[in-house]
Amino acid sequence: MKIPYIPEDAPFNGEQKFWLAGFLAGLHSRLLVLEDKPQAGAAAAATTQLHILFGSQTGNAEALAQTAAKAARAKGLVPVVQGLGEVDIEVFASMRHVLIVTSTYGEGEMPDNAEMFWQALSASTAPRLEQMHFAVLAIGDTSYDGFCQSGKFFDMRLEQLGAKRVYDRIDCDIDFEEPSSAWIDSSMPQFAASAGSSGTALENAPEAPVIPGSNKNNPYASALVTNKRLSGDASGKEIRHFEFDLTDSGLKYEAGDALGVIPVNDPLLVELLLAQLKADYQTPVPGFDRSLGDLLTYQFEISEPSRKLIEWVGQNTTNQELRHVLQHDDKDALGVWLWGKDTLDLLQLDLSRTLSSAEFVTLLRPLQYRAYSISSSSKAHPNQVHLTVASVRYHSAGRARNGVCSTYLAERVGRGGKPAIFISPNKAFRVPANSAAPMIMIGPGTGIAPFRAFLQEREAAGATGKNWLFFGDQHQEHDYIYQDELLAWHESGLLTHLDLAFSRDQAEKIYVQTRMLEKGAELFAWLEEGASFYVCGDASRMAKDVDRALYEIVVQHGGMSAERAGDYIDQLKKEKRYLRDVY
C-alpha cells in the first residue's frame, strides 16, 4: 500500500494535513505487519501460493501443470495454474514461488501461448526477480534440434534476472510421464520449504473415475467403422477419412481437440529387422517380458532412427560419410543424410561389430502415439469421432516406405478393427465463445480437419457469426476434399466465403496466402469487426507464409507501420483471436 499524496491545494489546513499524513502512515505500517503474518487468512494463502505457469502447444504441458497442482496441494501449497500467455510481466514480477512447465515447439521454438511472455521476459526492460523462487520442467523430443530449448531459455533467463532456483531443471523426452512425475514429487517439498508451508495437505476435489480413452496410458479400443479415400486416384496424395465408433464409450470431445492413435508397426519392416539381426519373432530379450518380435511390433519406434542408434552406428561403422557428418556435428548435413532412411538402413551399413538383440532395443525410442486434429463436432456426431489423414508413402533405396500410423489406419486396420485411441484436449483452439463473432480459417490440405469440425459445430449450435474458409492443395480435380460438404455449406450461407487455392492448376503457383492478400481489405475489415483468425497445417512453411501475409495485410489495409502492425497482431494473440494448430 502506498501513502496517498496530499496536494498543496487540498482543503485542509497545515495541522489537519499533518494529522492525516500521520494517520495514513500508521495505517500503512499496520497493514505491512498484517501482510507479513503467515497465519493471517488470505495473506497466509498468498505466502504459500505456487504459481504453475505452462507453455503448451498440444496440451501435454498443461496436463503436467495440473498434475503438479495436485502434488502442490498435497504439500499444503495453494496452486495457481495459468497459461504463460495469460500472465502480465509486471504481475509475474510480484510472484514469489513459480513453477514453469513448458514444451518446445518445432525446431526449438516457444509454444504459441508462451511466445509473447518470452518476448517480455527476455527484453532488456524485464524486471528484476530477486524475490522469486523457481523451477522449470521442460518436455521435448530428442529427435528434433533444440531439444527442450524453451525450458532451457526460461531456466537461464530467470537466473539472469536474480530469481533463485529451488530445484534443478529436468529435460524430458517424449516418454515424459515417469521422469516428470518423479521430478514433481521431488520438487514439491523444496517449494513447500521455501514457501514456509506447514506441509498439511489441502483438501482436493474428489477425483472423477478415469474413463478409457481419456489419456494415452488408458486408451480406448474403438471400432473403425469408416475408411474411405477422399483424394482422387490420380492425386499425388492419398488422403483418407476415418470414422471411429464412440457409442457407450463415455468419451467426450470438443471441436478443436485432437485424437491420439496408438499405432502398430509394419509387420514387413519387423520381419526385415529380425532377419538383419539373425533372430526370430519369439527370441527372448533379457529384461523384458515380451519377445523381440512383440517389442519391435508394439513397443518401440523402428521407422525413424533414434539419436542413440545414429550415434552408436556412427561409432561402429566404416561409412565415412556418416562418420564425417557426426564428427563435424553438422545437423543440416545429418538431416540430408538421414532423409528417407529408417532403422533398417542404418543396420545395413558396414558395421565393425555385431549388435545383439538386447543391445539393439536399448538404442530404440518408445513407440509413440500420433495425434491428429479431429475433423468432426460431437454436436453433429455424438457417437463418432472423425479424422482426416494423409497416408505417407514413398520409395527409397529400392524399398517401399510407409508412415507408421497413417498406413496402419489405411491398410492394416480392417473394418470393425479396434485401434487404441484417446482424446487429446486442445483448449487453446476453440470456436469463439461468442457465437455471433466471425471466423477466418486457413486450412490447406489436411489442415481443413478442425475447420470441418468448427463448421459442423456452428451449424449444430445455430451460430450466427460469419465464417470464411481458405482451402487449397495441388489440383482441384483430384485434391478438393470434402468438396460436396463445403459447397453445400457455402450455398446454405453457413460458409460466408470460400476461397480456393490449387497451386498447380496454372503456371504460377497460387497458395492460401496468395488468396489472403487478394482479399486483404475485406479480411482486415473482418478483423476489425472482431473476427478470430485460425491456422491449421504445416508449421515449417505454410504457417510462416500465412503469418507474413497477415502482417502485410495489417500494414497495407490498416495503414500501420511495421511496428504498429506487430502490436496489432500481438493484441490478437492476447485476445486469443489468432490461434494456430500447426505441426
Side-chain angles (χ1 to χ4, degrees), residues 432 437-443 448 451-452 454-455 458 464-471 486 489-490 493-500 512 514-529 531-535 550 553 557:
M439 289 196 310
I440 303 168
M441 300 162 283
I442 318 294
I448 194 176
F451 304 135
R452 180 178 183 261
F454 280 16
L455 290 167
R458 289 203 128 184
T464 59
K466 299 184 295 184
N467 304 299
W468 191 348
L469 175 66
F470 290 84
F471 170 76
L486 295 178
W489 279 329
H490 192 212
L494 176 71
L495 195 48
T496 313
H497 291 319
L498 174 60
D499 279 273
L500 304 173
V512 286
T514 314
R515 298 300 189 209
M516 285 173 57
L517 291 167
E518 291 172 353
K519 301 292 181 67
E522 187 173 5
L523 193 152
F524 182 74
W526 277 45
L527 292 176
E528 289 289 273
E529 292 173 24
S532 291
F533 185 84
Y534 299 90
V535 184
L550 181 60
I553 287 167
H557 300 285

Side-chain angles (χ1 to χ4, degrees), residues 43-72:
T47 62
T48 57
Q49 277 185 349
L50 174 60
H51 291 270
I52 304 174
L53 312 178
F54 62 86
S56 185
Q57 193 72 23
T58 62
N60 287 331
E62 182 175 3
L64 280 177
Q66 295 297 340
T67 299
K70 180 180 176 183

Side-chain angles (χ1 to χ4, degrees), residues 345-395:
D345 291 310
L346 268 68
L347 295 187
Q348 289 176 335
L349 296 175
D350 293 327
L351 298 179
S352 58
R353 73 181 183 88
T354 302
L355 182 62
S356 70
S357 298
E359 191 176 8
F360 176 56
V361 297
T362 66
L363 299 175
L364 301 179
R365 305 166 74 217
L367 181 61
Q368 289 299 300
Y369 70 90
R370 271 57 174 175
Y372 299 103
S373 301
I374 291 173
S375 57
S376 58
S377 163
S378 58
K379 289 183 172 64
H381 300 277
N383 295 315
Q384 289 187 338
V385 60
H386 300 175
L387 295 183
T388 307
V389 180
S391 301
V392 177
R393 304 179 192 274
Y394 60 98
H395 278 77

